[in-house]
Amino acid sequence: MSAGRRRFASSVRARASLGATAVVAVALVAAGIAVVLSLRANLTGQADRSADAAAREVALNIASLVPDQTSYGGLDLPDDMEHPVQVTDEGGRLLMASEDLQRISGTGVPAVTPAKSPAPGATAAPGDDDSADDDSGADDKGGDDHGGDDKGGDDSGGGDDDPAVGEISDRTSYTTGGATVDGKAGDYRFAAVEVTDRAGETVVVHAGASLADRQTAVNTTTVSMLLGLPVLLLVVGGVTWLVTRRAFRPVEGIRREMAAITASTDLSRRVPEPASDDEVARLARTTNETLTALEAAVERQRRFVADASHELRSPIASLRTQLEVGDAHPELLDVPGAVADTVRLQQLAADLLLLARLDAGERPGRARLELGALVREEVSQRTSDRIPVTLDVRPGLEVAGSRGQLARVLGNLLDNAQRHAHASVTASVYRSGGQVVLAVADDGSGVPEAERERIFERFVRLDDARSRDDGGAGLGLAIARDVAARHDGTLTVGRAPEGGALFELRLPRADGANTDSADADARA
């Protein structure tokens, strides 16, 4: 399969057009079959009614014949080709047929010429005297089958057990067959009606109605549908193709712009948004929102790499300088400064590693731990703090998470408070609704309200001099907020009662939660 054919087969427009055409084709075929069958049934019903009317007309003539008529030859039969007629007795013997009837099928009697034209009522005894003048004469001879009574009269018909004289059956049976009349063959619908003549004999009248009109109408309708179906399907396919082309034109615009963005790596570009409020417009808006988020993430990553490189360059350069001086002049080696730069470099590498793990979506452990006990233990190990930390801890408040990461958050908050406090630092743990709150407050200068969100960005420091001796790399608060978010909590900053900064870490309580019995993330 060529590339063009493969693209066509995989095209949504092509599949939509082919699918719509197939559905319409199935619907049209089903509707056409229903129309043809309905038309056929309707015309067959008309033929049945026409044949029944012709048969009953002949039956009415038979019922009106008087017994002294010599034969059925006096019957008035239809003389057109539309209604061939047969008259038979109950035994299937042909009594009379339409003139010019040359062949017939479907009635059960293939004969078209009667062997004899019997008198009415004489079919069972062909040797009887057909010249009887009246019913009383028939009684005297005793050979007639109609068995007239002593009272005579045309309507007497016989005794109590004989069929009613001149009665025409209400039932009509229908069959389909063929006939040749005057050299012309055709299909017919035959109606069969029983009638009792004046002599008391029951005969069957078969009258046909031509099916030529039905066949012509059905054939014309079928041919018209077969000729019109491909044209209609082409119209449906073409219209669907044009409509889908118009509908998918914005999608193609989005695709081309996305391809251009991918080729140029320019994430500031955006795809065109249609003015409508349909699915395509929503797709375009969502795509632009995704591009905006991607651009922000890439820019954030670039700043992170640039800032990390800058922060790493300084301690590495300082350490290298000290080592080179020490190598040339051992007596001038500043060992404490080298150790401090090494510790700073180690802490920065640990912070960068933790940020990378958080950015990768690593979920913290879900161990159950008492936050107050964690705070007491971590504060007791901070022996080199400039200002002692005052504790106000409520016992029994448990949270679920990583002990190592929560300890890192507490350490970062306390380091920040120690850096800016004048004389006091307070750490509190208390309950607020369904949350456990860890609050760290100091009496320093606080955080300006306009900067309260910016301080949680990476490598952001509000120190005017950006001193690396007094301040960190600007990652502590960013790490603390990311860890809080990973624990389904929040970290905010406000104003402490002492006038300094108040940081509040809010975490959901672990009461009733399904948590592990051990800290699965103690390495963090």
Side-chain angles (χ1 to χ4, degrees):
M1 183 182 293
S2 65
R5 291 182 178 180
R6 285 196 299 269
R7 285 195 299 269
F8 178 81
S10 61
S11 171
V12 176
R13 291 169 56 195
R15 292 198 298 269
S17 300
L18 292 176
T21 303
V23 170
V24 172
V26 172
L28 288 178
V29 170
I33 293 175
V35 168
V36 170
L37 292 178
S38 177
L39 178 62
R40 182 185 178 91
N42 183 270
L43 294 177
T44 300
Q46 292 182 8
D48 287 344
R49 290 189 291 273
S50 178
D52 180 68
R56 291 189 177 278
E57 182 180 357
V58 175
L60 184 61
N61 291 337
I62 293 175
S64 64
L65 289 176
V66 295
D68 58 356
Q69 288 182 276
T70 59
S71 69
Y72 284 99
L75 287 176
D76 183 15
L77 297 181
D79 57 359
D80 55 13
M81 295 177 56
E82 297 294 329
H83 298 94
V85 176
Q86 275 185 327
V87 180
T88 64
D89 61 11
E90 290 183 302
R93 185 165 63 93
L94 182 63
L95 302 179
M96 190 175 183
S98 296
E99 186 178 357
D100 297 330
L101 179 62
Q102 299 169 347
R103 183 189 64 82
I104 191 168
S105 63
T107 62
V109 180
V112 296
T113 304
K116 179 182 179 181
S117 297
T123 58
D128 288 345
D129 187 1
D130 293 338
S131 61
D133 294 330
D134 52 26
D135 292 342
S136 60
D139 290 339
D140 293 340
K141 294 174 71 175
D144 292 335
D145 292 337
H146 53 72
D149 56 18
D150 293 338
K151 294 181 180 180
D154 293 339
D155 296 335
S156 60
D160 295 336
D161 295 334
D162 294 332
V165 174
E167 179 182 3
I168 301 175
S169 175
D170 293 334
R171 292 190 302 272
T172 304
S173 59
Y174 300 95
T175 57
T176 301
T180 301
V181 181
D182 198 16
K184 296 181 179 180
D187 295 329
Y188 288 84
R189 187 72 171 168
F190 292 101
V193 177
E194 293 184 352
V195 58
T196 303
D197 61 17
R198 291 287 182 163
E201 295 297 331
T202 300
V203 297
V204 181
V205 178
H206 298 275
S210 176
L211 294 177
D213 292 342
R214 184 192 74 172
Q215 195 62 35
T216 300
V218 169
N219 291 341
T220 301
T221 303
T222 303
V223 171
S224 299
M225 289 183 175
L226 291 178
L227 293 178
L229 180 62
V231 176
L232 186 56
L233 292 181
L234 287 176
V235 172
V236 170
V239 171
T240 305
W241 178 265
L242 294 177
V243 170
T244 53
R245 178 182 180 182
R246 181 182 180 87
F248 283 107
R249 186 176 299 159
V251 177
E252 180 61 21
I254 294 173
R255 187 203 65 78
R256 286 197 300 267
E257 187 63 25
M258 288 296 294
I261 293 172
T262 302
S264 65
T265 66
D266 182 6
L267 296 179
S268 64
R269 300 174 61 172
R270 296 294 181 265
V271 300
E273 294 186 12
S276 59
D277 192 24
D278 54 10
E279 292 82 355
V280 177
R282 290 194 289 272
L283 172 64
R285 286 193 291 270
T286 303
T287 302
N288 285 334
E289 291 171 0
T290 303
L291 288 173
T292 300
L294 182 60
E295 182 185 15
V298 171
E299 182 61 27
R300 182 181 180 185
Q301 186 69 20
R302 288 174 180 171
R303 290 199 309 268
F304 177 79
V305 172
D307 291 338
S309 300
H310 178 75
E311 295 293 336
L312 288 170
R313 187 183 302 115
S314 296
I316 291 176
S318 175
L319 182 61
R320 178 180 177 179
T321 300
Q322 294 182 55
L323 292 176
E324 289 176 348
V325 171
D327 181 56
H329 306 281
E331 69 280 3
L332 299 178
L333 177 63
D334 183 9
V335 175
V339 172
D341 285 339
T342 304
V343 171
R344 177 178 176 79
L345 188 60
Q346 182 182 15
Q347 292 176 345
L348 182 57
D351 288 344
L352 292 176
L353 177 61
L354 179 56
L355 282 175
R357 291 167 56 187
L358 294 175
D359 288 342
E362 179 180 297
R363 302 298 299 178
R366 305 302 295 172
R368 193 179 185 125
L369 54 94
E370 184 182 347
L371 191 58
L374 171 65
V375 172
R376 284 192 296 268
E377 181 179 350
E378 291 297 320
V379 170
S380 66
Q381 297 177 5
R382 299 176 64 91
T383 57
S384 60
D385 281 347
R386 179 174 61 90
I387 300 173
V389 178
T390 303
L391 295 180
D392 181 12
V393 175
R394 305 284 179 87
L397 299 178
E398 294 184 339
V399 296
S402 167
R403 188 187 188 284
Q405 292 186 9
L406 293 178
R408 177 71 67 86
V409 172
L410 175 62
N412 291 348
L413 295 180
L414 290 176
D415 288 343
N416 183 76
Q418 290 286 340
R419 189 177 302 118
H420 297 92
H422 297 312
S424 69
V425 175
T426 304
S428 306
V429 176
Y430 58 92
R431 176 179 175 180
S432 176
Q435 295 179 320
V436 178
V437 181
L438 167 62
V440 176
D442 62 71
D443 61 349
S445 58
V447 180
E449 187 173 355
E451 304 288 346
R452 288 179 181 175
E453 283 300 316
R454 198 170 74 88
I455 62 173
F456 292 107
E457 297 179 7
R458 299 176 184 183
F459 297 105
V460 170
R461 289 176 295 191
L462 300 184
D463 308 80
D464 294 336
R466 293 179 58 88
S467 171
R468 290 179 177 82
D469 295 329
D470 297 333
L475 294 177
L477 295 180
I479 291 175
R481 172 164 279 192
D482 283 351
V483 170
R486 294 298 189 276
H487 284 75
D488 301 323
T490 60
L491 177 62
T492 58
V493 60
R495 185 172 184 81
E498 297 84 358
L502 172 63
F503 288 87
E504 291 183 329
L505 171 66
R506 295 179 177 268
L507 299 172
R509 291 186 60 190
D511 295 347
N514 293 326
T515 58
D516 298 331
S517 59
D519 187 0
D521 198 14
R523 68 184 186 278

